[in-house]
Amino acid sequence: MPLFAVVCLLQFALVGSSTTAFVDFLVGAVFIVAGMLLLFTGVDYGILPMGRYIGAALPEKGSIILVVAVAFAFGFATTVAEPDVLVLANQVNRVMDEISRQTILYAIALGVAVFTAIAMARIVFGFSLRGLLTVTYGAMLVMSFFATDQFIPLAYDAGSVTTGVLTAPVIISIAIGLSSVLAGRSAISDGFGLLGFASVGPIFVLMAVGILLR
């Protein structure tokens, strides 16, 4: 509704676009509201409970490799399907010739998958999230001095779009489920924070691509 109100205000007070374009916006707004209603309903009733169940069931198998593999698979699959990531990949494909839409999409997904797997391993072994963030964010800043100018802003935007409406609930719910059944772990201190860590993955991957293409 705030977005709808702002666009209507601009339409009548400043922009004055064609009636056809404005009607198209109104129709699109209706579809967006309906789609988001269905999406969030599905997240609440399906994705969140299943994510917590999967996270809680993984330790029963007694395999850290399985935990890491499942985290990697979920991180990759949800990022590929993330609407924000798809929008970014499509926009980049329109303005950059150096890299394709598929390359952007899978590079972002790979970065999220790897760092999500590391984050889940951190919950199991209990090592410090503060230390991980310090090292990764420091390395990310250093890489910014060596990547090409085109890839630096793209890399940081890629990190931000990965915490969207699909990826965030899946990863957080799995992490909370995993931490809730491990002795000595807290669903608050161990189940949260990993999205901030996982979002560094795409930045690392795209920075690396930018350095290679320098």
Side-chain angles (χ1 to χ4, degrees):
M1 289 304 297
L3 175 62
F4 175 77
V6 169
V7 172
C8 290
L9 178 64
L10 292 175
Q11 166 67 12
F12 295 113
L14 184 63
V15 178
S17 63
S18 66
T19 303
T20 301
F22 187 63
V23 170
D24 287 343
F25 164 75
L26 296 179
V27 173
V30 172
F31 280 114
I32 288 173
V33 171
M36 292 187 69
L37 175 63
L38 293 173
L39 175 62
F40 283 115
T41 301
V43 168
D44 288 338
Y45 283 93
I47 291 178
L48 292 178
M50 182 55 69
R52 287 193 293 267
Y53 178 82
I54 292 173
L58 286 175
E60 297 177 1
K61 306 302 179 182
S63 172
I64 181 60
I65 295 177
L66 179 62
V67 172
V68 171
V70 169
F72 182 94
F74 270 102
F76 190 91
T78 54
T79 305
V80 167
E82 178 64 58
D84 294 348
V85 176
L86 295 174
V87 170
L88 178 66
N90 289 332
Q91 294 295 325
V92 171
N93 190 54
R94 295 179 180 179
V95 298
M96 288 185 67
D97 297 326
E98 296 91 342
I99 191 167
S100 67
R101 173 186 180 277
Q102 288 76 16
T103 302
I104 287 287
L105 181 61
Y106 293 128
I108 294 174
L110 178 63
V112 173
V114 170
F115 275 64
T116 299
I118 296 173
M120 293 298 178
R122 183 202 72 82
I123 294 176
V124 175
F125 292 111
F127 47 86
S128 172
L129 178 62
R130 183 182 291 109
L132 277 178
L133 291 175
T134 300
V135 172
T136 53
Y137 274 75
M140 176 184 71
L141 293 175
V142 171
M143 293 177 72
S144 300
F145 290 97
F146 298 96
T148 59
D149 292 340
Q150 294 92 335
F151 278 88
I152 295 173
L154 173 59
Y156 283 103
D157 275 349
S160 66
V161 298
T162 55
T163 56
V165 68
L166 185 60
T167 306
V170 171
I171 294 178
I172 290 178
S173 62
I174 293 176
I176 290 176
L178 178 63
S179 60
S180 65
V181 298
L182 293 177
R185 299 291 180 266
S186 166
I188 298 296
S189 59
D190 293 307
F192 293 97
L194 72 167
L195 274 179
F197 178 73
S199 64
V200 183
I203 301 177
F204 260 77
V205 173
L206 290 178
M207 287 282 193
V209 174
I211 293 173
L212 292 175
L213 295 178
R214 190 176 180 86

